[in-house]
Amino acid sequence: MEAPLYPDFPLAPSTPPGGQPAFWVGPRHLAGDDRRLYDTVADTLAGLGWTSLTIVRGRHEPDEADEDRQVLRSTVLHISPDALGWAQWTLADEPFHLGDLPIAWQVSARTGNSSPLAAWSAYFTTGVPGEAICDFLVALDGRDQEAVSLADPELVLDAVAAHGWLRDIDQPQAAATDPTFTSHFSLGEVPPLIQDADPRALTTEPNEVGPPGWQAWAEPTLGTPFLWAASFAASVPHDLVAAFATSLTSTAPVLRRVLPEATRERLLRAPAT
């Protein structure tokens, strides 16, 4: 059973001058995104030297002041130095949903300059710990071939098992869960609209199951809304998924000011001083 590190310390003490109080919390997979998911990931991408482009679509009348412009949709696109990988903040751009949660970040990669199309995409909703997305992107940035798989699925399961997660009894080669059965990793059918250049994914009939991809999610209580969800197309390299899994399941605490309502009582926490 999980309990606060300091049960007598109030979870939401009076806010001191200068902002909300901060806590070191764990486990990471239940810690949420601190409502800073864009800033956390964008800062990492800036540090990696990725170029940031803001795309704004709206209506601008002649002689209209900038503050009166009607912005209909906007996205922020970050492009890797070799232009083979990109990350798109889609939350402000009418994103589709995954597990009934809006997609916040979409990360894609292509095999080379011969094609402008993505070989695969990975999707992360709100609530995904930003540290895990950052480590996924750092791993992507460090690869010589962004879109090529260099490992097998076992690497992902080994990564979560190393942090105490349990392999599924019925599917030990394809699924794992945390010891509280709240968060899950599963290799299986990919949800609709997940972009992948694998010909098998492109030609799958509605009643057929396409190539398997990794899915991850947190469901605080069975039957309740998800805390977060992530989906990886079938062609996403397993070593990149393993980087995400290693970070997500890490036992190292993370700094948070805003705790998820659904899991705040399950979090180990200590005030950051």
Side-chain angles (χ1 to χ4, degrees), residues 33-57:
D33 61 16
D34 207 28
R35 297 183 186 172
R36 297 189 66 255
L37 191 54
Y38 175 77
D39 292 334
T40 299
V41 175
D43 289 348
T44 294
L45 293 175
L48 293 173
W50 288 40
T51 300
S52 173
L53 301 174
T54 301
I55 306 169
V56 178
R57 292 181 285 279

Side-chain angles (χ1 to χ4, degrees), residues 159-202:
V160 299
H163 289 155
W165 284 39
L166 309 174
R167 293 195 184 221
D168 186 271
I169 296 177
D170 298 323
Q171 303 178 55
Q173 306 304 317
T177 183
D178 79 288
T180 66
F181 301 97
T182 300
S183 299
H184 310 266
F185 265 90
S186 178
L187 180 64
E189 185 176 1
V190 176
L193 304 179
I194 301 301
Q195 297 180 13
D196 196 303
D198 187 325
R200 295 175 300 163
L202 298 175

Side-chain angles (χ1 to χ4, degrees), residues 27-164:
R28 184 176 300 187
H29 62 94
L30 298 181
D33 61 16
D34 207 28
R35 297 183 186 172
R36 297 189 66 255
L37 191 54
Y38 175 77
D39 292 334
T40 299
V41 175
D43 289 348
T44 294
L45 293 175
L48 293 173
W50 288 40
T51 300
S52 173
L53 301 174
T54 301
I55 306 169
V56 178
R57 292 181 285 279
R59 185 167 55 245
H60 198 178
E61 301 294 338
D63 302 323
E64 183 181 33
D66 288 339
E67 58 269 22
D68 295 330
R69 182 178 182 182
Q70 297 181 22
V71 177
L72 301 181
R73 297 190 299 170
S74 64
T75 62
V76 181
L77 184 67
H78 300 259
I79 304 173
S80 64
D82 61 7
L84 296 181
W86 59 95
Q88 184 176 356
W89 173 254
T90 65
L91 198 59
D93 194 32
E94 298 181 7
F96 66 89
H97 286 63
L98 182 67
D100 290 329
L101 293 171
I103 300 293
W105 281 100
Q106 177 180 339
V107 180
S108 305
R110 56 194 181 123
T111 55
N113 293 318
S114 59
S115 173
L117 301 178
W120 55 258
S121 291
Y123 304 80
F124 307 94
T125 71
T126 55
V128 175
E131 295 85 355
I133 301 177
C134 289
D135 287 338
F136 177 86
L137 287 162
V138 168
L140 172 64
D141 184 79
R143 296 174 110 250
D144 292 331
Q145 294 179 297
E146 280 89 337
V148 179
S149 184
L150 301 176
D152 60 46
E154 194 69 16
L155 189 63
V156 178
L157 296 170
D158 286 345
V160 299
H163 289 155

